[in-house]
Amino acid sequence: MTEPILQLVDCTRVHGQGETVVRALDGVSVQILPGELVAVMGPSGSGKSTLLNLAGALDLPTSGHVVIENQSTSTLRPDELAALRRRRVGVVFQDLNLIPSLTAAENIGLPLELDGRRVSEARRAAVGALHELGLDELADRYPDQMSGGQQQRVAIARALVGERRLVLADEPTGALDSVTGDGVLAVLRARCDAGAAGLLVTHEARHAGWADRVIYLRDGKVVDEAVAR
Amino acid sequence: MSVPLSLLALLSQGPAYGARIKAEFEARTGHAFPLNVGQVYTTLARLERDGLVVPDGGPDDEGRIPYRLTDVGAQQVSTWWESPVDRSEPARDELVMKLALAVATPRVDAQAVIQRQRAAAMSHLQGLTRAKLALTAPGQPPQPASIPTPTTLSDQVVLEHRLYAVEAELRWLDHVEELLHRAGPAPAASAGPAPAATPPSGPPSAAPASPNFARPAPSDTRH
């Protein structure tokens, strides 16, 4: 049986205490298999960001477990958590994705270099990642020499470089026009079809349409789920 | 009116016989509106009766008669391109009727009706998105910058219309749900407690549900 890349098991995240307590996430269970793209929808304050932070090991659940490729985040020391994030998890935000002073290839190779790989090895992996996405010509361009859509596609390449198989995307199409945004989502979809696991937070039903499953959150709970036919 | 005008529009590019017009029409409208040849010839006969087309010479070796536009027909096509399509008369829509009845019918859980419809619509949206991906990059890595051929572009226009229609439906369902949420329990559910005038118990940052998504818990009586 295929092992999930990401599992959230009965996760609750509580902020504050006493009268100011907020249950940002309340008993949520989600698992994502290799090849799956799961979208999360919900209004502001529904727990989407909290779920993303737990899934990316940026935060720990108050109760329950988050398991990323068989490693429970609650059992790791801070340095081990940092290594897990570096090696296993890629994140694509709405903006501020790429470092302006680095080329696309350097940006993509950076996580590998931070993890102790040689520069030449990181470069090879980065160029390979760009090639897979048909973005070869961007390798030596700086972010300000790329369009917004190209930058986001490079960001997805970076999110899944090396051994990373989990990509978390928070409204990755941002202010891009609809056609360019589709191109970014098509790349995310392609990476998942190639075996990655994706978690996409979005307000747009249209974007959620790219996912295999759509989870609806409200007040920290999963209240609905839609599966592709 | 759309099929006769569409046939006239095709004939504005040159004379053609019925089967050819049918094939062109289907190819240029994303194969979303299939016609049968009989329907095409019936339409051509009406257009001829109305003076909009005339036979362009005699039948060919296979007995097919090409048609061409008359000046009046050409004028009709120009007028069509230059006028907006009238969308002011709403189509009869089963879902609209069903939901309008659901919110006003005792013992019908309108919330559940919305939820089931939303799940179905989202699944449909996912299927259409897959179809779009296959259309723009069949078997290839995504190349969003690629320039579609005119026929592919027509296919995309039709498919995107369906996608946007489903998206609009999802937004509308979310909005109706929010309306229900604000209206409080339906009369049929009045066995439960009356709406309480207590402040929200959720996170302080929780804004009113977005138009994209609003799904109250059954017991939630906020707003």
Side-chain angles (χ1 to χ4, degrees), chain A residues 60-73:
Chain A
L60 296 174
T62 309
S63 66
H65 302 282
V66 176
V67 183
I68 300 171
E69 299 208 66
N70 292 320
Q71 284 192 288
S72 170
T73 58

